[in-house]
Amino acid sequence: MVHYEPTTHIVQVRDEDDTEKKIYNLTEDKVLPLGSGKLVHWEALKPGDVVLALYPLTTTFYPGEVVSLNSSTERLCIRFDGDEIDDDTGLLVVKEVPTYFVADKLL
């Protein structure tokens, strides 16, 4: 978030991964602050669910399938769409993601 104008409820945001640093003006209801409590609660998720989650070490959300979840750490193991098989292990690449980085349950 770059700036919030409370009188108009407009939020200016920018993708930090975007080299052009373009600023987008959004209405407040279109912005989902991470950790806001508006995200899907981890207890509602189960293996096989498709979610929209923050890809590790990026600022981009991608769809992926929940492979497993750890209720004690509130982290999910997700196989993101487009990730391939690991050449060394021959297994599908699975990323661990904190549940507060899950924006939505898609299926």
Side-chain angles (χ1 to χ4, degrees):
M1 183 173 84
V2 176
H3 179 73
Y4 172 67
E5 181 53 54
T7 57
T8 61
H9 301 283
I10 297 293
V11 180
Q12 292 182 333
V13 295
R14 159 179 74 222
D15 182 351
E16 290 299 320
D17 286 345
D18 180 10
T19 56
E20 295 178 26
K21 302 295 183 197
K22 182 177 178 182
I23 293 177
Y24 299 89
N25 293 309
L26 304 170
T27 56
E28 184 177 21
D29 64 320
K30 301 294 183 201
V31 178
L32 183 65
L34 296 176
S36 67
K38 295 180 183 178
L39 305 176
V40 175
H41 196 274
W42 68 267
E43 292 173 327
L45 300 172
K46 63 186 181 311
D49 286 343
V50 177
V51 296
L52 188 63
L54 190 68
Y55 194 87
L57 304 175
T58 74
T59 60
T60 307
F61 286 85
Y62 288 100
E65 180 182 348
V66 175
V67 175
S68 64
L69 57 109
N70 184 329
S71 59
S72 63
T73 63
E74 295 188 8
R75 290 180 167 273
L76 301 172
C77 287
I78 298 175
R79 186 195 55 77
F80 284 94
D81 290 3
D83 276 352
E84 303 295 327
I85 294 175
D86 184 291
D87 291 335
D88 295 330
T89 66
L91 301 173
L92 285 173
V93 175
V94 175
K95 306 283 186 185
E96 190 175 78
V97 178
T99 56
Y100 54 84
F101 285 157
V102 176
D104 201 2
K105 179 178 172 181
L106 302 176
L107 297 174

